[in-house]
Amino acid sequence: MLTAATLALLVTVALALARAAYGPSVFDRLQAASTIGTCAMLLLALLGFLNGRPEFLDLALTYGLLNVIGIIAVLKFIHLGRLVNKSAENVEDA
Amino acid sequence: MIRTLASALALYSIWLLLSGMFVPFLLAAGFCCAIAIKLFSRRLNAIAEETEVLELNWVKLVAYYPWLIKETVLAAWDVSKRILNPRLPISPALVEFAPSQKTDLGLVIHANSITLTPGTISVEVEHGRFLVHALTEEGALSLAGSEMDRRCAELEVV
Amino acid sequence: MNMLIDILSGVFLAGGAFFCLVGSIGLIRMPDFYTRMQAASVTETLGAGLMLIGLILHAGLTLVAAKLAIMGLLILLASPTSSHALAKAALMSGLKPLLGPRGSKKEVPPSKP
C-alpha cells in the first residue's frame, strides 16, 4: 500500500507540474508549486517508511516549513518588488 | 522574565521531541540552543510584546477542532464530487459579509477555518468585513451567520 | 489486532492517495485561478490528512507518530495562511475571478473599497 500511495503522489506531482508549466498567470504557477511542496512533504514521509529510515521525517518537517515561508517570500517579492519593507529599512537607517 | 523562561522551556521540549535521543551531550546541546534562540530573537525583536494574545476559551477550542475537521471532510467530499463530475457543476461567487467576532484572534481563527474548508477561501480579512471566494453559490450564501461564525465567536473571551 | 491496524492504515493511505489525485485533476480541469485553488485545497486537507493518519497507524505509538502529528498540525495551521496570502495577492494584482454558473461568461468585477 505504501508503494501504491507513493505512485499516486508521483502522479499528483506530475499533474501539478503540468499546471506549473502551462499556468497562464504567475499565481497559478505558485499554487502548483505549493501543491508540489505538500506532496513532496508526504513523499519524504512515505519514503522514510519504505526504506525504514525514520530520519526522513525530519526532512519532511523542514520541507513543510520552508514551503510556507517560500510561498510567502515570493508573494512579498511580487507585491513589493523587493523583500525588505521600506519602513523597516528606514528604521534601520535611523 | 517568566515568559522568556517559559518559551525557552517550550523550545527545549520541541528539541527533545524531535531529537528522540536522550544522551547527556544532546540534552545539554539542546538546552544551550534554546537559550541561544531566545537571546537572538530578543535581539532581533522578533517576538511581539503583546501579552494578552492567547486569551481563548480553551474548553470550547478543544471541542471546536473536531467539529471543524468533520466539516472539512464533508466539504472536501462535496468538492471532490464536483471535480470528478464530467459537467463540472460549479458557480464561483465572491461574497462580502460581516463576521461577528470582536478580537483579532477570533477573526483569524474564523478566516483560517474558512480557508481550510475546501470550497471557500477568505480573500480579504478586516474587522467587520470578510471577502470570501466560494466554489458554489450555495456555499457563498451559507457563510454569513453560519454555525462556524457562531462557534468562533463563542471561542472569544471579551 | 495487528492485522486490523494494517488494513485500516492501508485504507487510510488509499483514501489519501485518491484525494491527492482528485485535487490534482481539479488543478488541471478548473477554469480559472481561484477555482483551481479550491481544488488544490482538497489535496492539502483531506489528501494529506488521511495519508498522515494512515502513516500514524502504521508507525504505532512512537516518536515517529508524534512527528507525523506535528506535520499534520503544520498543515492545519500554515497551509490556509499561505493560500489566503496567495488569493489576496492575486486579487490585489487585478486577476479577476470568473463568477456565476459555468458557461454564462458573466464577469462581475469584485467590489473594491
Side-chain angles (χ1 to χ4, degrees):
Chain A
M1 205 63 237
L2 285 172
T3 323
T6 312
L7 286 177
L9 271 176
L10 283 176
V11 175
T12 308
V13 170
L15 288 174
L17 208 57
R19 173 51 74 192
Y22 176 75
S25 72
V26 68
F27 300 106
D28 285 301
R29 295 177 211 271
L30 269 178
Q31 176 62 62
S34 134
T35 307
I36 291 173
T38 310
C39 288
M41 187 168 146
L42 292 172
L43 262 176
L44 277 169
L46 277 170
L47 275 180
F49 276 89
L50 272 177
N51 297 337
R53 289 179 64 186
E55 307 91 78
F56 271 52
L57 276 176
D58 299 323
L59 301 185
L61 262 174
T62 317
Y63 203 93
L65 283 169
L66 278 179
N67 186 31
V68 175
I69 295 170
I71 295 287
I72 289 180
V74 174
L75 284 174
K76 202 169 173 190
F77 184 72
I78 291 170
H79 192 58
L80 297 173
R82 60 183 181 280
L83 282 175
V84 182
N85 245 337
K86 195 82 178 175
S87 55
E89 267 175 357
N90 290 344
V91 170
E92 283 293 309
D93 290 341
Chain B
M1 193 60 203
I2 292 171
R3 281 177 61 83
T4 314
L5 277 180
S7 55
L9 267 181
L11 285 172
Y12 190 43
S13 57
I14 290 173
W15 169 286
L16 290 182
L17 188 60
L18 289 181
S19 98
M21 277 189 259
F22 300 97
V23 291
F25 170 71
L26 282 178
L27 291 180
F31 192 73
C32 294
C33 282
I35 299 289
I37 288 174
K38 269 322 285 179
L39 291 178
F40 285 146
S41 66
R42 164 167 288 188
R43 207 176 126 65
L44 284 168
N45 283 331
I47 313 293
E49 296 292 325
E50 293 166 38
T51 46
E52 60 283 311
V53 176
L54 283 177
E55 277 186 3
L56 271 179
N57 191 335
W58 291 97
V59 181
K60 288 230 165 103
L61 190 74
V62 170
Y64 176 68
Y65 269 94
W67 177 82
L68 178 65
I69 289 169
K70 188 203 87 192
E71 287 292 300
T72 307
V73 170
L74 290 180
W77 178 243
D78 182 58
V79 173
S80 316
K81 273 195 297 193
R82 283 174 200 277
I83 290 172
L84 292 179
N85 192 326
R87 288 187 298 110
L88 209 61
I90 56 170
S91 55
L94 206 59
V95 284
E96 226 183 271
F97 70 99
S100 59
Q101 290 79 32
K102 300 278 185 300
T103 60
D104 286 351
L105 197 56
L107 286 170
V108 166
I109 293 176
H110 190 188
N112 191 299
S113 311
I114 285 176
T115 313
L116 192 67
T117 321
T120 47
I121 286 180
S122 55
V123 182
E124 278 173 22
V125 177
E126 288 164 21
H127 273 283
R129 193 183 79 96
F130 273 13
L131 185 65
V132 176
H133 182 272
L135 193 58
T136 61
E137 212 107 346
E138 307 92 72
L141 290 176
S142 65
L143 279 168
S146 61
E147 194 183 351
M148 189 185 280
D149 189 51
R150 186 178 62 73
R151 279 176 182 259
C152 286
E154 278 176 2
L155 292 177
E156 298 180 315
V157 178
V158 183
Chain C
M1 193 58 202
N2 236 335
M3 183 83 176
L4 189 70
I5 285 181
D6 271 359
I7 290 172
L8 212 59
S9 126
V11 168
F12 274 114
L13 278 174
F18 171 73
F19 281 107
C20 278
L21 278 176
V22 166
S24 63
I25 290 169
L27 205 59
I28 297 288
R29 278 195 76 192
M30 287 293 183
D32 85 321
F33 166 68
Y34 297 92
T35 47
R36 270 175 219 139
M37 261 181 109
Q38 313 278 17
S41 72
V42 175
T43 305
E44 272 170 16
T45 55
L46 206 52
L50 286 180
M51 218 172 248
L52 284 176
I53 292 175
L55 286 179
I56 287 177
L57 287 177
H58 197 275
L61 264 180
T62 51
L63 214 60
V64 171
K67 279 182 197 170
L68 287 166
I70 292 178
M71 270 167 72
L73 214 61
L74 184 73
I75 290 177
L76 201 69
L77 295 178
S79 97
T81 312
S82 72
S83 326
H84 164 73
L86 199 54
K88 189 171 180 177
L91 196 70
M92 280 177 98
S93 81
L95 193 68
K96 299 261 187 303
L98 214 66
L99 297 177
R102 209 165 134 63
S104 70
K105 288 285 171 207
K106 180 182 67 174
E107 275 201 36
V108 186
S111 56
K112 286 283 305 178

